[in-house]
Amino acid sequence: MIYLDNAATTKPDEGAFLQAKEYVTQKFYNPSGLYKEGFALQSELKKARSVLLSKVADETAFEFIFTSCGTESNNQAIFSFARRGNAVTTAGEHSAVLAPFAELKNRGIAEPRYAPLQKDGRVDVQKLLALVDDKTCLLSVMHVNNETGAINDVNQIAKEVKRKNPRTIVHVDGVQAYGKLPYKLAKEIDLYSVSAHKIGGLKGVGGLIKRKSLTLPPYLFGGGQEGGRRSGTENTFGIMQFFYAVEKKFASLKADYERLRGYREKVWAGLDKDIFLRISDENTSPYILSVAAVGLRGEILLHMANDKGLIIGTGSACSSNAKTRYSRVILACGYDEKTADGVLRISFSPETTEEEIESAVGILNEVANDLKNRMK
């Protein structure tokens, strides 16, 4: 089976899993325990926290709070700071941001405002900034679009937002960027969400990077873990597996970036241009390539490819239960429903091989031509 739906989730890194195994079989203690084994675990979590943070941020300016996932991190950021006036985001955000924004309106907490997208999925920065005023309490923008791979210059956006309203809290959904792109967070970013299972970690572990000078109200109450910002006994095994996976991932980050960019272009070069239209341009994340088989149903192509041993996506896996069959992100990019209906998302990981790429191209061309001929 060829797996090319890595934007949805990645295979857990086996080496990291084996390294972390002792936190299930031996070091299973509660990190909050007052006995020496509990203190020892706190020390190990502190080391992991420091490394996970240092890969993308200045440790003197930011801190790392463990959560259960990127969705929880996004929700905590939004509901902790969108409490008055208006809150600004983009039309291309993940549902873990758009659903909380809709809830802000439902609860009468803050007025949600949405900036439009450009053709490749990046936000229209000027129109985004135009929505920010003296009553904007929060702005949330994704670093990498999970459907098109479009990269937003979040550091520059944050600087422009702070220049316009220094009191606006800037949150970035970095789930599709962390461990994949080379970058460091600007001091103007207040909050940044990450997730373990997108880069070889386990599901059930995430993080919220927070500017130290920012007071973060708790979203979950209870035992006071994570400095009182996120109660709940820490998932020690999951955190340490995340830590080991990150150590490995960042060691080859730049090499993986270049290699996967080559794979992405090889896939596009091999696809039948009489059928497929490119959605992701050359400046997007090398981990994602979205194309559209215009006039064909993407979901049908997904199942046909699956039957031949290829796993791909049609967009965000978290939107598979949506009532509409068309990707709201692709529509927001300005494409019509006929194009949006045929979208396929091909997403890579460092474990992807050139042989898999070649086979995937053959399968996609075969099933697309087969379906096209059936519809004549």
Side-chain angles (χ1 to χ4, degrees):
M1 186 66 73
I2 301 170
Y3 181 71
L4 294 180
D5 195 25
N6 291 280
T9 195
T10 57
K11 179 182 178 182
D13 184 272
E14 187 173 350
F17 178 86
L18 293 174
Q19 282 181 281
K21 185 178 178 181
E22 64 176 327
Y23 294 92
V24 173
T25 59
Q26 299 174 50
K27 300 180 180 180
F28 54 83
Y29 311 104
N30 191 323
S32 297
L34 298 180
Y35 41 83
K36 63 180 180 180
E37 290 82 1
F39 278 117
L41 281 181
Q42 277 293 349
S43 178
E44 293 184 65
L45 291 180
K46 182 179 180 181
K47 177 185 176 182
R49 191 190 310 275
S50 174
V51 170
L52 293 169
L53 175 62
S54 67
K55 298 299 183 183
V56 298
D58 178 0
E59 289 186 84
T60 65
F62 293 91
E63 56 188 325
F64 194 104
I65 300 166
F66 289 115
T67 66
S68 67
C69 58
T71 294
E72 182 190 329
S73 298
N74 288 342
N75 273 255
Q76 179 163 13
I78 293 165
F79 287 114
S80 291
F81 293 101
R83 294 185 168 183
R84 53 180 170 72
N86 64 75
V88 176
T89 190
T90 85
E93 298 300 304
H94 190 278
S95 57
V97 168
L98 288 185
F101 261 72
E103 193 62 20
L104 293 177
K105 181 178 180 180
N106 293 340
R107 299 182 187 182
I109 297 173
E111 173 203 351
R113 296 179 175 180
Y114 305 92
L117 302 183
Q118 300 184 73
K119 198 73 172 178
D120 65 354
R122 287 178 299 149
V123 64
D124 185 317
V125 177
Q126 293 309 310
K127 291 183 178 178
L128 176 76
L129 294 173
L131 296 176
V132 177
D133 58 28
D134 60 353
K135 293 184 179 179
T136 303
C137 56
L138 173 78
L139 181 138
S140 182
V141 59
M142 66 189 346
H143 198 161
V144 173
N145 189 283
N146 58 297
E147 293 195 34
T148 71
I151 303 171
N152 288 310
D153 187 347
V154 293
N155 283 341
Q156 187 59 38
I157 289 172
K159 291 175 183 178
E160 294 294 332
V161 170
K162 293 292 187 179
R163 190 173 292 123
K164 191 167 184 182
N165 183 349
R167 297 184 304 278
T168 300
I169 300 300
V170 177
H171 166 252
V172 176
D173 178 349
V175 166
Q176 293 290 348
Y178 185 79
K180 298 180 180 182
L181 308 184
Y183 64 91
K184 288 288 185 178
L185 298 182
K187 60 182 175 58
E188 289 81 6
I189 291 176
D190 297 294
L191 300 157
Y192 192 90
S193 301
V194 302
S195 179
H197 77 102
K198 304 295 186 180
I199 54 168
L202 300 177
K203 301 170 188 66
V205 179
L208 182 61
I209 297 173
K210 179 188 80 69
R211 182 166 50 80
K212 282 186 175 180
S213 59
L214 182 69
T215 300
L216 178 69
Y219 184 57
L220 296 179
F221 295 82
Q225 289 85 357
E226 297 300 294
R229 277 80 58 89
R230 199 278 183 185
S231 290
T233 303
E234 294 90 347
N235 178 359
T236 310
F237 169 63
I239 289 170
M240 295 308 295
Q241 196 275 346
F242 184 24
F243 160 63
Y244 292 128
V246 162
E247 289 271 62
K248 179 178 178 180
K249 186 69 186 71
F250 275 85
S252 62
L253 187 145
K254 292 183 179 179
D256 291 338
Y257 187 96
E258 294 302 324
R259 180 167 57 87
L260 295 183
R261 182 161 59 180
Y263 285 177
R264 182 194 64 188
E265 295 309 306
K266 187 166 186 174
V267 170
W268 173 242
L271 289 178
D272 188 337
K273 305 302 186 298
D274 290 332
I275 296 177
F276 292 102
L277 169 71
R278 184 168 184 164
I279 303 294
S280 305
D281 69 26
E282 295 180 359
N283 297 315
T284 56
S285 167
Y287 284 79
I288 296 174
L289 173 65
S290 282
V291 298
V294 183
L296 303 179
R297 183 90 183 270
E299 185 178 348
I300 295 175
L301 290 174
L302 178 152
H303 292 300
M304 292 175 69
N306 196 185
D307 290 340
K308 291 186 176 294
L310 172 63
I311 298 176
I312 53 174
T314 56
S316 174
C318 293
S319 298
S320 61
N321 294 321
K323 294 180 180 179
T324 177
R325 69 192 246 182
Y326 307 114
S327 164
R328 54 173 174 72
V329 172
I330 301 303
L331 294 176
C333 290
Y335 293 97
D336 58 24
E337 291 184 349
K338 186 177 181 180
T339 302
D341 200 25
V343 167
L344 296 173
R345 183 184 66 181
I346 305 153
S347 50
F348 316 99
S349 84
E351 285 67 49
T352 303
T353 66
E354 191 165 3
E355 292 74 20
E356 288 177 325
I357 292 297
E358 293 171 353
S359 297
V361 169
I363 291 171
L364 287 170
N365 284 334
E366 180 184 352
V367 298
N369 276 285
D370 184 14
L371 183 58
K372 182 178 180 181
N373 290 332
R374 289 188 205 177
M375 296 177 65
K376 288 183 178 178

